[in-house]
Amino acid sequence: DMGHCLSVYRDEQLMEVVKFLPRKAFLTLGQDRRAVDVFLNNLSAEDLHAAVVWDTRGALFVVDVNGSEQGTFLNGERLEKGRRTRVNVGDALVFGKSTRRFVLENDVTAAFDKLEAAKQEYKKRKHSGGDDHDKMRRNDSAKRHASNRERGGEKVRVRHLLVKHAGS
């Protein structure tokens, strides 16, 4: 399918693919799940943060709707509030201080194939114990737990703390 979509990356990891809805001229993005097409799970995003809009000639534009304090970025450049800015295939959008990049793709099938491959790779890494970075992180955690035990046992969770004041 040669339609357009947004591939969502965190660091270099493909997380999801957002397909444009048929016969809808725009996609809204923000934190209000009831009001937007794409939920931005990011506290620096506005309820209605941005819109991606098709024009009548088939060109795609992004608009920072509410000019949030945190902004909307196209290839690292902050967009001006309310102004339509052209988005081309391969361009990356970032909303607020999010670590996720939304990259415009022009082949939905290829994007979903890449997503499926990324999921399989993730499962394979998870079953094999992860990559070197994951192993280092688990090692550090195990060392911290061991040093806690050496200092007097496991951590204790405290719900209530009773303090006795002098003279009482």
Side-chain angles (χ1 to χ4, degrees):
D1 179 7
M2 294 303 288
H4 287 78
C5 63
L6 292 170
S7 293
V8 185
Y9 292 87
R10 184 174 66 212
D11 299 320
E12 295 307 310
Q13 178 69 44
L14 180 58
M15 305 298 289
E16 69 177 301
V17 174
V18 178
K19 188 175 175 183
F20 288 97
L21 305 171
R23 293 180 295 286
K24 186 168 182 181
F26 61 91
L27 267 181
T28 54
L29 303 99
Q31 271 207 314
D32 185 348
R33 287 182 192 272
R34 296 160 304 176
V36 296
D37 299 308
V38 180
F39 173 67
L40 298 175
N41 188 11
N42 170 6
L43 294 176
S44 68
E46 300 288 331
D47 285 349
L48 176 57
H49 193 97
V52 178
V53 184
W54 293 101
D55 76 358
T56 54
R57 295 181 310 276
L60 191 65
F61 293 86
V62 63
V63 180
D64 184 335
V65 176
N66 286 321
S68 77
E69 284 183 30
Q70 308 307 330
T72 298
F73 300 84
L74 176 65
N75 299 325
E77 296 282 321
R78 188 177 181 137
L79 302 181
E80 192 180 315
K81 174 190 176 184
R83 185 167 181 208
R84 288 184 345 158
T85 306
R86 178 75 188 260
V87 182
N88 297 302
V89 171
D91 284 349
L93 293 163
V94 174
F95 304 99
K97 293 182 176 177
S98 178
T99 57
R100 294 177 187 235
R101 289 178 303 118
F102 290 71
V103 178
L104 181 65
E105 309 273 355
N106 64 352
D107 187 336
V108 174
T109 304
F112 276 105
D113 288 347
K114 275 198 311 196
L115 178 61
E116 192 54 41
K119 285 180 181 176
Q120 295 306 321
E121 180 62 31
Y122 175 79
K123 284 180 187 172
K124 197 163 52 176
R125 264 202 350 253
K126 197 172 171 186
H127 287 304
S128 72
D131 58 17
D132 292 340
H133 180 72
D134 294 332
K135 288 176 186 169
M136 264 182 8
R137 215 171 40 229
R138 279 196 302 276
N139 245 352
D140 289 346
S141 177
K143 284 178 189 170
R144 274 197 312 277
H145 288 301
S147 70
N148 283 343
R149 281 192 296 277
E150 289 166 13
R151 285 196 312 261
E154 291 293 314
K155 290 182 182 176
V156 177
R157 293 180 87 169
V158 177
R159 280 221 156 101
H160 303 282
L161 182 63
L162 180 62
V163 177
K164 184 172 183 176
H165 294 280
S168 59

